[in-house]
Amino acid sequence: MKQRERKEQSRGRDGFDAYYRALYGDRWQAIKAAFSEEPRYVTYTVCGGKRVDAVTETAGTARAAGCVPYYLDAGSVRAAASLPLKGARRILDLCAAPGGKTLVLASCMEKEAILLSNERSNDRRVRLSRVCDESLPPEIRARVTVSGNDGALMCRYQSECFDRILLDAPCSSERHVLADEKYLSQWSPARIKTLALEQWALLSSAWRMLEPNGYLLYSTCALAKEENDGVIVRLFKKFADAEVVPSPTVTDVSPFCDEPLPEPEQTELGSIVLPDVQQGAGPLFFCLLHKKTLH
């Protein structure tokens, strides 16, 4: 009976609160308070490098020209801009919907590069395609392909074929859980363990598809360390050629987004943007990994 009672106490609102209070201590109250405010969104406009304040087309013309602005969390831009694209030729956005990070990659990649934006979910893939069609100029859109593969299985038929990979993995998304009474009442630590397994399957597949000397950026919008640093630790245990790049160079996105990007704080292995100190941006964890060439 006591074991059942403990299990029940770890679930729902009280269990959720206790779990994250144990992780973040007194800071948890400030993070929760930040979640109750509007997220810090920025406007991202590709349109040949013109910012949204320079776009004067009508809505129809802007859509036809691939100039529709896209609004996304400032932390997401900060993460995607941390994947170095200089010299990249084959780029993969493994879990790409709804499309914000794809826009960042597409706008910053060199003219010789191509981008595969993959999304397993049919509904989310439709949205991803629409975002690319509406928000990317034709000359960039022509170099972006949208696919619908299961990212965890792609390594079975593709190996070491991308020199840059962005994996923004499905995660707990505590901001959304806290805002929805239904999801909050159903929450349990078991969900984090399940998601960490899914994240590991995606990361290990992505690693096998990454070329030697390539770079992979792993990110989530989760607070749970088990979904963040914990997944990276597992990568190190499995692959001897994995190393963290501690100080990534951030790509200049000012031609597309004229707002300052948030400054992350360090975790055990990566970086995280937290909303209590970044005016509502995040949470957004990211870690840049390099695939060493072993002799």
Side-chain angles (χ1 to χ4, degrees):
M1 181 63 70
K2 288 183 178 180
Q3 184 177 358
R4 179 180 296 179
E5 289 176 354
R6 285 195 297 269
K7 186 176 181 180
E8 289 301 317
Q9 289 172 356
S10 70
R11 299 174 61 89
R13 177 183 290 276
D14 291 343
F16 180 89
D17 197 63
Y19 182 90
Y20 289 99
R21 189 168 60 249
L23 283 179
Y24 288 91
D26 294 340
R27 190 177 180 183
W28 172 234
Q29 293 303 318
I31 294 173
K32 277 206 307 180
F35 282 165
S36 66
E37 304 294 331
E38 284 294 318
R40 178 181 163 190
Y41 288 120
V42 296
T43 305
Y44 204 89
T45 309
V46 182
C47 198
K50 292 183 292 183
R51 293 194 293 262
V52 66
D53 56 1
V55 178
T56 58
E57 292 90 347
T58 63
T61 304
R63 186 169 290 107
C67 292
V68 176
Y70 189 87
Y71 305 94
L72 72 164
D73 191 295
S76 294
V77 180
R78 178 64 174 81
S82 296
L83 179 64
L85 297 180
K86 184 177 181 180
R89 294 297 176 263
R90 288 181 52 83
I91 307 165
L92 170 64
D93 189 353
L94 189 56
C95 300
K101 293 186 180 70
T102 278
L103 296 185
V104 176
L105 296 179
S107 65
C108 296
M109 67 184 183
E110 297 178 347
K111 292 182 179 180
E112 296 80 9
I114 58 174
L115 170 61
L116 177 63
S117 291
N118 181 75
E119 175 55 49
R120 182 179 64 178
S121 165
N122 289 332
D123 291 341
R124 287 169 58 82
R125 188 166 65 254
V126 168
R127 182 181 177 188
L128 169 63
S129 295
R130 184 172 65 249
V131 166
C132 291
D133 292 342
E134 293 182 349
S135 297
L136 289 175
E139 64 274 15
I140 297 179
R141 180 65 179 91
R143 292 185 285 120
V144 178
T145 301
V146 175
S147 64
N149 300 302
D150 184 335
L153 302 179
M154 284 177 65
C155 65
R156 294 185 178 183
Y157 51 89
Q158 298 186 73
S159 177
E160 297 188 345
C161 52
F162 298 99
D163 51 19
R164 302 292 189 275
I165 298 177
L166 171 62
L167 170 55
D168 185 35
C171 67
S172 287
S173 187
E174 291 90 350
R175 180 189 283 274
H176 296 100
V177 172
L178 196 60
D180 191 305
E181 285 296 332
K182 177 183 176 182
Y183 290 128
L184 187 57
S185 66
Q186 296 173 347
W187 183 89
S188 77
R191 174 167 171 74
I192 293 175
K193 295 183 181 299
T194 299
L195 283 164
L197 289 174
E198 181 180 355
Q199 291 153 356
W200 165 244
L202 288 165
L203 181 56
S204 60
S205 177
W207 196 254
R208 290 179 170 92
M209 290 188 285
L210 185 66
E211 293 180 358
N213 206 36
Y215 291 91
L216 184 152
L217 188 108
Y218 173 80
S219 68
T220 79
C221 57
L223 290 170
K225 295 180 181 179
E226 192 171 346
E227 300 180 52
N228 296 336
D229 287 323
V231 180
I232 304 300
V233 168
R234 188 167 181 177
L235 183 75
F236 290 153
K237 291 180 179 179
K238 177 70 174 179
F239 297 100
D241 55 0
E243 65 176 354
V244 168
V245 178
S247 300
T249 300
V250 181
T251 302
D252 179 16
V253 296
S254 59
F256 317 104
C257 171
D258 59 356
E259 299 183 41
L261 299 182
E263 285 299 324
E265 51 198 90
Q266 296 304 302
T267 66
E268 178 186 353
L269 295 170
S271 304
I272 192 166
V273 174
L274 290 173
D276 60 324
V277 294
Q278 292 298 331
Q279 295 77 51
L284 207 300
F285 168 86
F286 59 97
C287 182
L288 182 61
L289 299 155
H290 175 244
K291 192 170 192 176
K292 298 181 291 185
T293 301
L294 300 179
H295 299 287

